Amino acid sequence: MVYVDGFAGPGRYSGGEDGSPIIALKALAAHGRKLQSVFEFHFVERDRRTVDALTANIAALRDEGLVVPSTSISVHPRQSVEEAYDQTIAPRLAQTPGAPAFALVDPFGWTGIPMRIMASLMNRSSTELLLNFMFEEINRFLSHKDQPENFDALFGCPDWRKADTLSGHARKNFLHDLYRDQLRRAAGARYVRSFEMLNDRGASDYFLFFATRSLLGLRKMKEAMWRIDPAGGMRFSDATNFNQQVLFEPKPDTRLLRRMIEAQFSGTRATVRDVELFVLEDTAFHAGHYKKVLKEMEGTGHLTPVSPPPKRRAGTYPDPDLTLDFAARHSPLSLTD
Ligand SMILES: C[S@@+](CC[C@H](N)C(=O)[O-])C[C@H]1O[C@@H](n2cnc3c(N)ncnc32)[C@H](O)[C@@H]1O
């Protein structure tokens, strides 16, 4: 398994908080299962002192016994992520085409993370990308006279110029949607979701884009995002489609999910698998959420399983091939609901 952190930072901050490299290494060490794989971590960092701090923090982690033995860790002191990627990381990934990879791209700005690198990552059979799209900075510098080349590279197309005539939400939505669509179109990601991070004034600070070609990757990422405790003061929501924005809360809004499932399936027949794919691909929710909704709908007669096995317990959906008959939306049943 290959883990790439493009803008690694020191690994530990003066206040004692862990940075992304140490978080990743600790997560591996804390993994509950006995893993057979070999792990390879690549940390790229430009600043010399930060590289030294990171190297020392990794050594301290090893001393504490918190680095899994079959792990190789490379810290790349490079002026540019592009250079490190082209010269070292891409050739290494090419040597291990079957190895799953995870790339974290967490820059300070928008330069040095061209769409062509995202395309190269997505070209592999199993890569997950998590990228910090610094919306606030990008938005502020979009019209700067020195930046067109950098924005062409970031978006992988010239269309960002159309944001010139837009302002406020329309501008934000346009830039977000352009980047999302470019991850699909230009980079070849099959699944893209974005998470909007709101600062304490409720303003949009940045977006995290997640991209992958793997349905399993999408499923796991969603589960991970829903598990994050929002208590830290940071609020975030799934913003992939702005007209369906869903705030991540300890208790998911399953009424909203029910409306989405009804809008999609009312008056039709679909298998449990169809519902799961729809929920995973087209909504903010994860696979665990929809079973609760199906159970509720079955309980109120809004869906009926077609020829279920005699021993099936009502309100349970272990068989993905089970066909469900969804009542039409304007049936007397939904009027009395
Ligand atoms: C936002 S911080 C990363 C924080 C890190 N992900 C964490 O969780 O602690 C960005 C880091 O990237 C480094 N950096 C900035 N530009 C870079 C570049 N072109 N190549 C490599 N590293 C760079 C900075 O020195 C800084 O440490």
Side-chain angles (χ1 to χ4, degrees):
M1 194 218 79
V2 184
Y3 182 95
V4 179
D5 190 339
F7 298 80
R12 204 165 269 167
Y13 292 92
S14 50
E17 311 92 344
D18 288 341
S20 50
I22 298 293
I23 291 173
L25 289 167
K26 279 188 175 172
L28 175 58
H31 199 286
R33 296 217 191 126
K34 185 139 182 57
L35 301 163
Q36 303 292 330
S37 322
V38 173
F39 300 92
E40 206 173 289
F41 285 77
H42 296 271
F43 299 124
V44 185
E45 172 54 49
R46 168 162 79 181
D47 181 68
R48 192 66 244 182
R49 280 173 50 197
T50 309
V51 166
D52 292 344
L54 176 60
T55 309
N57 284 324
I58 292 170
L61 206 66
R62 275 198 199 281
D63 292 345
E64 288 169 50
L66 287 175
V67 174
V68 168
S70 61
T71 304
S72 97
I73 303 173
S74 311
V75 177
H76 306 279
R78 291 293 186 100
Q79 278 310 306
S80 109
V81 169
E82 269 188 276
E83 184 191 294
Y85 185 79
D86 290 342
Q87 294 177 4
T88 313
I89 296 168
R92 182 65 193 135
L93 288 173
Q95 286 168 358
T96 52
F102 185 96
L104 176 68
V105 180
D106 182 21
F108 274 140
W110 58 89
T111 56
I113 47 168
M115 187 57 74
R116 71 166 183 89
I117 289 188
M118 312 313 149
S120 160
L121 286 168
M122 284 299 125
N123 203 18
R124 306 178 73 256
S125 61
S126 172
T127 305
E128 264 85 68
L129 166 69
L130 186 64
L131 178 139
N132 184 348
F133 184 83
M134 304 284 288
F135 169 73
E136 224 272 312
E137 284 78 1
I138 292 170
N139 188 35
R140 248 185 311 134
F141 283 88
L142 204 65
S143 313
H144 195 284
K145 64 177 175 35
D146 298 342
Q147 292 302 322
E149 256 178 53
N150 288 331
F151 286 120
D152 282 343
L154 175 75
F155 285 97
C157 69
D159 299 12
W160 55 271
R161 291 171 176 79
K162 294 181 190 154
D164 266 359
T165 56
L166 304 172
S167 61
H169 281 298
R171 186 172 159 107
K172 180 174 87 174
N173 295 3
F174 174 82
L175 290 170
H176 166 277
D177 289 358
L178 179 62
Y179 197 78
R180 176 197 65 194
D181 294 347
Q182 281 297 93
L183 282 174
R184 292 191 182 126
R185 268 193 311 248
R190 167 86 174 80
Y191 306 105
V192 178
R193 296 219 68 89
S194 77
F195 307 99
E196 182 175 18
M197 315 308 272
L198 303 170
N199 62 25
D200 44 15
R201 284 167 286 119
S204 196
D205 227 9
Y206 58 94
F207 291 103
L208 290 178
F209 276 97
F210 173 72
T212 184
R213 281 169 51 189
S214 151
L215 185 63
L216 183 60
L218 175 69
R219 182 194 303 257
K220 292 292 170 197
M221 191 64 191
K222 280 189 163 184
E223 286 170 9
M225 292 306 281
W226 277 99
R227 268 204 307 270
I228 294 172
D229 180 1
M234 190 86 199
R235 288 192 308 136
F236 65 105
S237 59
D238 185 295
T240 313
N241 301 308
F242 281 110
N243 49 2
Q244 278 185 11
Q245 201 152 352
V246 175
L247 191 67
F248 285 83
E249 293 171 297
K251 268 187 164 256
D253 182 358
T254 46
R255 277 176 317 172
L256 174 64
L257 178 58
R258 178 168 174 166
R259 284 203 298 278
M260 290 171 167
I261 289 177
E262 284 178 342
Q264 181 72 12
F265 295 107
S266 288
T268 70
R269 282 185 170 193
T271 62
V272 171
R273 180 182 289 104
D274 295 332
V275 178
E276 175 157 326
L277 276 180
F278 165 72
V279 170
L280 274 181
E281 291 186 31
D282 294 336
T283 80
F285 296 91
H286 70 63
H289 292 141
Y290 75 87
K291 292 195 178 175
K292 231 176 120 182
V293 171
L294 294 185
K295 180 177 179 184
E296 191 185 288
M297 289 178 74
E298 187 178 338
T300 52
H302 288 81
L303 77 79
T304 314
V306 179
S307 330
K311 286 206 173 128
R312 172 183 179 266
R313 271 202 298 137
T316 60
Y317 308 90
D319 177 9
D321 292 318
L322 179 70
T323 299
L324 306 170
D325 190 356
F326 288 85
R329 232 162 155 206
H330 299 295
S331 70
L333 271 173
S334 49
L335 290 176
T336 58
D337 182 24

